[in-house]
Amino acid sequence: SLSPARSRAGSEIATPAAYDDAAVDDAEMRRCRAAARRAAEERRMGPWARLRDFAWTEAFGEAHMFGLDDTMPSEIDNFLLVPVRFEQFLCFGLLACLDTFLYAVTFLPLRALVALWDLARLARLRRNEAPEPPASPSRRRPRAFSRSQAYDLARCVVVLGVVQILRRVPLSRAYHWIRGQNTIKLYVIIGIMEVFDRLLCAFAQDALDSFYLSTRTCRSRADLKRAGMFLALVAFVTAAHALLLFVHLTTLNVVVNANEDAALFALLVSNNFSEIKSTVFKKYTSTTLFQVSTADVCERFKLVLFLALLYLLGWAQVAGDATEARASLTNVRRQALGVLGFEVVSDWIKHAFVAKFNHVDASAYGAYAERLARDVVTGRRGPDGLALDHTHAVTRRLGFAVLPLTCVALRYVTLALGWLRLSLELDDLGVAAVAVAGFVVLFQGKLLTSICLAGFSIELTERQPGSSLLSPKPTSPSSFANLDELRGRPGSPGRLD
């Protein structure tokens, strides 16, 4: 038989856990012995030797890993990846905003003309309709005037009315008034405009939807009064928002056309960094960050549209002189690229640090793009047809105020046509030809944008093979509890994962 010592040694060799425990005990024993030797040497050393050893340890001491986190490299990777993912989401959002804006400029007037024609024909048929017995086989009822046609016609009437209001505002007087203000007053004005722009964007779409829903039961005088009240509210909100955007665009016009005065440029750029200060130190989740991201999409599209309108107006003013046009447009491009560049950089910094401080993964922006793609696809594949246009779901999801932007764009286009007529000495027929050619180009651009947007949206939604394409109702992002709910609730229509 084996002795107890040999049996214990054999069991330790045979058991890995016992071997690891023995190794740990040996390492701990060696560490204790080394600490005891150092303590004995310190007791034998004098104070100067101890000071020398302390200084040596502080300067060239042993390397240690205390306080370091192994996940730090992945956090840096996520920090650097957030601007890339945000720009991908923003490009898709800009394409959706462009599609919505071109719809309001091109398709909406055509739909309003068709609605007006149907309304006139319905009124004529009812006026000329001969009384026939109800059971007569030759009796044919005219096509009813739908609520969507009334909605399109009302929106066009609101746009035309607001454009007429903007024509009463002299651009030159507003331009020189803004240019003559001091920096402090302009800083306050720009801050007020940004605040009310956000508030009106949040309220405008609700007012439009309330007007549309109020037309469902227009059978009594009270219902007609209610629908008229909502229409008046839509007109008031659109006019106020358009005037606000007109002042904002005029301020941007002053900044872009300034050659030596850099105070306004610095003032406009400083607002971007004040936005960073007011955003990055707040608490966000993956779902609440969606609201910030969609607001940035709308703001970026608004800035790009404003710069394009200013470039168009500047070109129309100097179209007859090639030398002056080259010098003037070069300055406009330089200033515009500066403003746009600061906006892009501030958005990158803001989202990168928001994601870092709130531990938001960069893949959240992919979920945001998939949510918008789901709205685009379901808007075109609704199972029961669409009561409104196919841009309604995306517009509501983004909080995009398209009617005020359309009014301001039409006002500046009419100004550009007036200047182009003076620069090139065109007659009325020439101006009309230019306007028709521009409308045709925008119409073709709308078709191309719709094709690209639909293709990208289907590609994004088909990444989830088991998802349904039924149309969910666009709701506020704040109603979702987490990122999984932002992608889609389990078992619900429109689920993304």
Side-chain angles (χ1 to χ4, degrees):
S1 62
L2 296 175
S3 63
R6 295 184 60 183
S7 300
R8 185 170 56 255
S11 63
E12 291 178 356
I13 295 175
T15 306
Y19 180 78
D20 294 339
D21 293 340
V24 170
D25 293 340
D26 292 340
E28 186 68 25
M29 186 177 297
R30 288 194 299 270
R31 192 178 300 109
C32 293
R33 290 175 180 175
R37 285 196 300 270
R38 285 195 299 271
E41 291 175 358
E42 289 178 358
R43 285 193 296 270
R44 288 194 299 269
M45 289 189 303
W48 290 107
R50 293 179 183 178
L51 181 61
R52 181 195 59 196
D53 290 345
F54 176 76
W56 180 269
T57 304
E58 286 291 314
F60 308 101
E62 296 180 356
H64 57 82
M65 297 290 291
F66 299 126
L68 294 181
D69 191 358
D70 294 337
T71 63
M72 197 63 63
S74 61
E75 291 185 2
I76 295 299
D77 293 339
N78 185 74
F79 179 83
L80 298 177
L81 190 61
V82 163
V84 178
R85 294 288 185 261
F86 170 72
E87 283 298 322
Q88 292 175 354
F89 163 72
L90 190 136
C91 289
F92 184 78
L94 288 179
L95 188 63
C97 290
L98 179 62
D99 181 71
T100 304
F101 176 75
L102 291 179
Y103 177 90
V105 174
T106 57
F107 284 8
L108 183 60
L110 297 179
R111 288 169 62 103
L113 289 176
V114 172
L116 188 62
W117 172 261
D118 288 344
L119 183 61
R121 188 182 62 173
L122 180 63
R124 186 176 63 253
L125 289 176
R126 288 185 175 179
R127 185 176 60 251
N128 299 330
E129 189 177 27
E132 297 181 3
S136 175
S138 61
R139 183 181 180 88
R140 191 182 72 176
R141 299 183 62 184
R143 188 176 67 176
F145 188 69
S146 64
R147 287 189 297 129
S148 61
Q149 289 179 316
Y151 183 69
D152 294 334
L153 194 58
R155 284 191 292 175
C156 273
V157 169
V158 169
V159 169
L160 292 177
V162 174
V163 170
Q164 292 300 320
I165 293 175
L166 292 179
R167 291 186 63 182
R168 301 289 181 180
V169 181
L171 179 61
S172 59
R173 185 175 299 177
Y175 180 91
H176 290 289
W177 180 83
I178 292 174
R179 191 178 181 88
Q181 302 301 315
N182 56 37
T183 305
I184 301 299
K185 187 180 294 186
L186 282 177
Y187 187 83
V188 175
I189 292 174
I190 292 175
I192 292 174
M193 286 192 301
E194 289 182 353
V195 171
F196 278 96
D197 184 22
R198 296 290 181 92
L199 295 178
L200 291 173
C201 283
F203 186 75
Q205 191 61 43
D206 292 338
L208 279 170
D209 293 345
S210 299
F211 165 70
Y212 176 75
L213 294 175
S214 66
T215 60
R216 290 185 301 177
T217 57
C218 286
R219 299 185 180 91
S220 63
R221 183 173 297 180
D223 295 335
L224 289 175
K225 287 183 178 179
R226 181 178 176 83
M229 181 189 66
F230 280 118
L231 181 59
L233 180 62
V234 169
F236 175 77
V237 172
T238 305
H241 201 177
L243 288 171
L244 188 71
L245 294 177
F246 187 78
V247 175
H248 190 185
L249 181 54
T250 307
T251 306
L252 193 62
N253 192 9
V254 173
V255 172
V256 169
N257 290 304
N259 292 322
E260 299 179 356
D261 188 9
L264 288 177
F265 183 82
L267 176 64
L268 198 64
V269 168
S270 65
N271 286 326
N272 296 327
F273 293 96
S274 64
E275 183 182 359
I276 294 175
K277 182 184 68 175
S278 63
T279 304
V280 297
F281 300 111
K282 294 182 180 179
K283 181 65 177 178
Y284 291 98
T285 62
S286 297
T287 52
T288 55
L289 185 59
F290 184 46
Q291 294 176 319
V292 179
S293 302
T294 54
D296 289 337
V297 169
C298 297
E299 185 178 358
R300 182 78 65 86
F301 178 80
K302 182 182 69 175
L303 181 61
V304 172
L305 177 64
F306 283 178
L307 294 177
L309 291 174
L310 293 179
Y311 191 84
L312 176 64
L313 183 61
W315 171 78
Q317 290 174 347
V318 294
D321 190 349
T323 304
E324 185 179 357
R326 188 180 301 109
S328 177
L329 295 180
T330 299
N331 179 65
V332 171
R333 282 196 300 268
R334 180 174 58 83
Q335 297 283 71
L337 289 177
V339 173
L340 185 60
F342 276 105
E343 177 71 22
V344 172
V345 172
S346 65
D347 285 341
W348 288 358
I349 295 174
K350 179 176 67 176
H351 283 270
F353 279 100
V354 165
K356 174 180 173 57
F357 294 152
N358 296 277
H359 305 287
V360 177
D361 194 78
S363 61
Y365 295 97
Y368 302 160
E370 291 175 9
R371 180 65 270 172
L372 290 183
R374 183 71 59 196
D375 292 333
V376 173
V377 172
T378 53
R380 288 168 168 82
R381 295 184 182 179
D384 301 325
L386 288 174
L388 301 178
D389 55 80
H390 60 270
T391 63
H392 178 263
V394 177
T395 303
R396 185 165 184 80
R397 183 78 68 184
L398 290 173
F400 182 53
V402 63
L403 291 186
L405 285 175
T406 304
C407 298
V408 174
L410 290 177
R411 172 60 178 145
Y412 262 75
V413 167
T414 55
L415 285 172
L417 287 175
W419 280 104
L420 192 63
R421 180 177 183 175
L422 295 176
S423 300
L424 301 180
E425 298 180 355
L426 299 176
D427 55 359
D428 294 339
L429 185 60
V431 173
V434 171
V436 171
F439 181 81
V440 171
V441 170
L442 292 177
F443 187 86
Q444 294 176 347
K446 166 65 177 117
L447 295 178
L448 180 61
T449 304
S450 298
I451 293 172
C452 296
L453 182 63
F456 292 150
S457 301
I458 292 174
E459 182 181 357
L460 283 173
T461 55
E462 286 181 350
R463 291 178 182 177
Q464 304 294 331
S467 60
S468 172
L469 292 180
L470 298 178
S471 177
K473 180 181 178 181
T475 55
S476 173
S478 61
S479 62
F480 297 106
N482 48 45
L483 184 58
D484 294 334
E485 294 187 4
L486 180 63
R487 292 178 179 270
R489 293 179 176 84
S492 64
R495 176 173 162 78
L496 290 178
D497 56 354

